[in-house]
Amino acid sequence: MPERYALILGSGFTDYLPEGKVHELHTDYGAPSAGIIDVEIGGQSVLTLARHGPDHSIPAHLINYRANIAALKALGVTSIVALNTVGVIGDICKAGQLGLPSQVIDYTWGREQTFFTGGAAGVKHLDFTEPFPAGLRARLLEAARRARIDCYDGGVYATTQGPRLETAAEVDRLQRDGAHYIGMTAMPEAVLAAELDIEYACIALVVNQAAGRGDKPIHYDVAASTETARAAALALVAEFFGSTVA
Ligand code: HPA
């Protein structure tokens, strides 16, 4: 079966308004964050969804992740490339660079994190050993190499609840836990995709050093780093989708 790709856009893409046919869907779980726009990227049609809504008005802890993933599934999506801004704890990447995490730790709470809620929906204990399937990650890394885009291979993404950023002590704890990146959105997005048999990769856009790690205030150069990381991410997805045209 040929792949049908979706691109989930996160923070930093509010003014990136792709044009194309818009699918307005309603799912059993409610409405997705925004209309899903069919955009041509790298010569193929890609379904794009603004995770935080078209005007970035939905904070990470209030996103209807189930509606987003169910809507993409209903449109036939088999593979999701997700763009997630993160802070970095150590020195695997600098602000402005990209990473492709290979693992996740979930610190979120109170989010709907399964389609298998019991009763008629059933119960399932998903094997989530590899939250970001190796095949899609490898294809993205190859595209990064071809386009000469710096992209760190691997690392652990800690998903925090937000909307506030972490305390310095919390970052120390996340580091002791083995985390490299901190963001607010990869979970439950990744697990819900896996539950519906959709392969999922996270491109982490590093926009700041984690709390207590830099010598400047955390927001000091977020805007500039976001701009740099965003340009790299858009170049990467253009190369990637351009090389996967069916
Ligand atoms: N922490 C949590 N989420 C984030 C950060 C951070 O430092 N930067 C961007 N998203």
Short mmCIF file of all heavy atoms in Angstrom, two decimals, residues 59-66 106-114 159-162 187-188 192:
data_model
loop_
_atom_site.label_atom_id
_atom_site.label_comp_id
_atom_site.label_asym_id
_atom_site.label_seq_id
_atom_site.Cartn_x
_atom_site.Cartn_y
_atom_site.Cartn_z
N PRO A 59 -3.40 25.59 23.74
CA PRO A 59 -2.15 25.17 24.40
C PRO A 59 -2.01 23.65 24.38
O PRO A 59 -3.00 22.92 24.22
CB PRO A 59 -2.32 25.70 25.83
CG PRO A 59 -3.79 25.86 26.03
CD PRO A 59 -4.41 26.10 24.68
N ALA A 60 -0.79 23.20 24.56
CA ALA A 60 -0.47 21.77 24.38
C ALA A 60 -1.37 20.86 25.22
O ALA A 60 -1.78 19.80 24.75
CB ALA A 60 0.99 21.54 24.75
N HIS A 61 -1.68 21.28 26.47
CA HIS A 61 -2.45 20.37 27.33
C HIS A 61 -3.93 20.33 26.97
O HIS A 61 -4.65 19.49 27.50
CB HIS A 61 -2.26 20.76 28.81
CG HIS A 61 -2.81 22.09 29.18
ND1 HIS A 61 -2.31 23.27 28.68
CD2 HIS A 61 -3.84 22.45 29.99
CE1 HIS A 61 -2.99 24.29 29.18
NE2 HIS A 61 -3.93 23.81 29.98
N LEU A 62 -4.38 21.23 26.09
CA LEU A 62 -5.81 21.24 25.73
C LEU A 62 -6.06 20.78 24.29
O LEU A 62 -7.20 20.80 23.82
CB LEU A 62 -6.39 22.65 25.93
CG LEU A 62 -6.42 23.14 27.39
CD1 LEU A 62 -7.03 24.53 27.48
CD2 LEU A 62 -7.18 22.16 28.30
N ILE A 63 -5.01 20.36 23.61
CA ILE A 63 -5.19 19.88 22.23
C ILE A 63 -6.01 18.59 22.25
O ILE A 63 -5.82 17.73 23.12
CB ILE A 63 -3.80 19.63 21.59
CG1 ILE A 63 -3.10 20.97 21.33
CG2 ILE A 63 -3.91 18.83 20.30
CD1 ILE A 63 -1.63 20.84 20.97
N ASN A 64 -6.93 18.48 21.29
CA ASN A 64 -7.70 17.23 21.17
C ASN A 64 -6.89 16.27 20.28
O ASN A 64 -7.14 16.15 19.08
CB ASN A 64 -9.09 17.52 20.58
CG ASN A 64 -10.00 16.31 20.65
OD1 ASN A 64 -9.53 15.18 20.79
ND2 ASN A 64 -11.29 16.53 20.57
N TYR A 65 -5.93 15.62 20.90
CA TYR A 65 -5.01 14.76 20.14
C TYR A 65 -5.77 13.61 19.48
O TYR A 65 -5.44 13.18 18.38
CB TYR A 65 -3.91 14.20 21.05
CG TYR A 65 -2.96 15.26 21.60
CD1 TYR A 65 -3.17 15.83 22.85
CD2 TYR A 65 -1.87 15.68 20.86
CE1 TYR A 65 -2.31 16.80 23.35
CE2 TYR A 65 -1.00 16.64 21.35
CZ TYR A 65 -1.22 17.21 22.60
OH TYR A 65 -0.37 18.17 23.10
N ARG A 66 -6.77 13.08 20.17
CA ARG A 66 -7.52 11.96 19.58
C ARG A 66 -8.26 12.39 18.31
O ARG A 66 -8.26 11.67 17.32
CB ARG A 66 -8.49 11.36 20.60
CG ARG A 66 -7.78 10.64 21.71
CD ARG A 66 -8.68 9.69 22.45
NE ARG A 66 -9.85 10.34 23.02
CZ ARG A 66 -10.74 9.73 23.77
NH1 ARG A 66 -10.61 8.44 24.02
NH2 ARG A 66 -11.76 10.39 24.27
N ASP A 106 6.94 10.06 29.07
CA ASP A 106 5.70 10.83 29.16
C ASP A 106 5.46 11.30 30.59
O ASP A 106 5.20 10.49 31.47
CB ASP A 106 4.53 9.95 28.68
CG ASP A 106 3.24 10.73 28.56
OD1 ASP A 106 3.26 11.96 28.71
OD2 ASP A 106 2.20 10.08 28.29
N TYR A 107 5.55 12.61 30.82
CA TYR A 107 5.27 13.18 32.15
C TYR A 107 3.93 13.92 32.15
O TYR A 107 3.64 14.63 33.10
CB TYR A 107 6.37 14.17 32.54
CG TYR A 107 7.75 13.55 32.66
CD1 TYR A 107 8.61 13.53 31.57
CD2 TYR A 107 8.19 13.00 33.86
CE1 TYR A 107 9.87 12.97 31.66
CE2 TYR A 107 9.46 12.43 33.96
CZ TYR A 107 10.29 12.42 32.86
OH TYR A 107 11.54 11.86 32.95
N THR A 108 3.16 13.78 31.09
CA THR A 108 1.90 14.52 31.02
C THR A 108 0.85 13.84 31.89
O THR A 108 0.99 12.68 32.27
CB THR A 108 1.37 14.62 29.57
OG1 THR A 108 0.99 13.32 29.10
CG2 THR A 108 2.42 15.22 28.65
N TRP A 109 -0.20 14.56 32.19
CA TRP A 109 -1.29 13.98 32.97
C TRP A 109 -2.61 14.61 32.52
O TRP A 109 -2.63 15.70 31.97
CB TRP A 109 -1.08 14.21 34.48
CG TRP A 109 -0.72 15.62 34.84
CD1 TRP A 109 0.55 16.14 34.92
CD2 TRP A 109 -1.62 16.71 35.10
NE1 TRP A 109 0.49 17.47 35.23
CE2 TRP A 109 -0.83 17.85 35.36
CE3 TRP A 109 -3.00 16.83 35.16
CZ2 TRP A 109 -1.38 19.10 35.65
CZ3 TRP A 109 -3.56 18.06 35.46
CH2 TRP A 109 -2.74 19.18 35.71
N GLY A 110 -3.67 13.83 32.68
CA GLY A 110 -5.01 14.35 32.40
C GLY A 110 -5.32 14.49 30.93
O GLY A 110 -6.32 15.10 30.56
N ARG A 111 -4.47 13.94 30.04
CA ARG A 111 -4.76 14.00 28.61
C ARG A 111 -5.39 12.68 28.18
O ARG A 111 -5.00 11.63 28.71
CB ARG A 111 -3.48 14.25 27.80
CG ARG A 111 -2.74 15.51 28.20
CD ARG A 111 -1.50 15.75 27.32
NE ARG A 111 -0.77 16.93 27.78
CZ ARG A 111 0.24 17.50 27.12
NH1 ARG A 111 0.65 16.99 25.97
NH2 ARG A 111 0.84 18.56 27.60
N GLU A 112 -6.33 12.74 27.24
CA GLU A 112 -6.91 11.49 26.71
C GLU A 112 -5.82 10.80 25.91
O GLU A 112 -5.38 11.32 24.89
CB GLU A 112 -8.11 11.80 25.81
CG GLU A 112 -9.26 12.48 26.51
CD GLU A 112 -10.05 11.54 27.41
OE1 GLU A 112 -9.70 10.35 27.51
OE2 GLU A 112 -11.01 12.03 28.03
N GLN A 113 -5.36 9.64 26.35
CA GLN A 113 -4.17 9.07 25.73
C GLN A 113 -4.38 7.71 25.09
O GLN A 113 -3.40 7.04 24.75
CB GLN A 113 -3.05 9.01 26.75
CG GLN A 113 -3.49 8.37 28.05
CD GLN A 113 -2.31 8.10 28.93
OE1 GLN A 113 -1.47 7.29 28.57
NE2 GLN A 113 -2.22 8.78 30.05
N THR A 114 -5.64 7.32 24.93
CA THR A 114 -5.89 6.05 24.23
C THR A 114 -7.24 6.09 23.53
O THR A 114 -8.16 6.81 23.95
CB THR A 114 -5.86 4.86 25.21
OG1 THR A 114 -6.02 3.64 24.47
CG2 THR A 114 -6.94 4.95 26.27
N THR A 159 8.17 14.51 27.51
CA THR A 159 6.97 15.31 27.26
C THR A 159 6.42 15.82 28.59
O THR A 159 6.02 15.03 29.45
CB THR A 159 5.88 14.49 26.56
OG1 THR A 159 6.46 13.69 25.55
CG2 THR A 159 4.82 15.40 25.96
N THR A 160 6.44 17.14 28.75
CA THR A 160 5.95 17.74 30.00
C THR A 160 4.56 18.33 29.76
O THR A 160 4.14 18.54 28.61
CB THR A 160 6.92 18.82 30.49
OG1 THR A 160 7.13 19.77 29.45
CG2 THR A 160 8.25 18.22 30.91
N GLN A 161 3.88 18.61 30.84
CA GLN A 161 2.48 19.02 30.75
C GLN A 161 2.30 20.45 30.27
O GLN A 161 1.37 20.75 29.55
CB GLN A 161 1.83 18.81 32.13
CG GLN A 161 0.39 19.25 32.22
CD GLN A 161 -0.55 18.33 31.44
OE1 GLN A 161 -0.12 17.42 30.73
NE2 GLN A 161 -1.83 18.58 31.54
N GLY A 162 3.19 21.36 30.68
CA GLY A 162 3.00 22.76 30.33
C GLY A 162 1.74 23.31 31.00
O GLY A 162 1.14 22.64 31.83
N MET A 187 3.55 13.54 23.17
CA MET A 187 2.63 12.60 23.79
C MET A 187 1.37 13.34 24.23
O MET A 187 1.49 14.45 24.78
CB MET A 187 3.27 11.91 24.99
CG MET A 187 4.35 10.93 24.60
SD MET A 187 3.69 9.51 23.72
CE MET A 187 2.92 8.62 25.05
N PRO A 188 0.20 12.74 23.99
CA PRO A 188 -0.04 11.40 23.50
C PRO A 188 -0.11 11.27 21.98
O PRO A 188 -0.56 10.24 21.48
CB PRO A 188 -1.40 11.06 24.12
CG PRO A 188 -2.12 12.37 24.14
CD PRO A 188 -1.06 13.41 24.41
N LEU A 192 -1.14 7.67 20.14
CA LEU A 192 -2.44 7.56 19.47
C LEU A 192 -2.24 7.17 18.01
O LEU A 192 -2.99 6.36 17.46
CB LEU A 192 -3.20 8.89 19.58
CG LEU A 192 -3.66 9.22 21.01
CD1 LEU A 192 -4.12 10.67 21.10
CD2 LEU A 192 -4.77 8.28 21.47
#
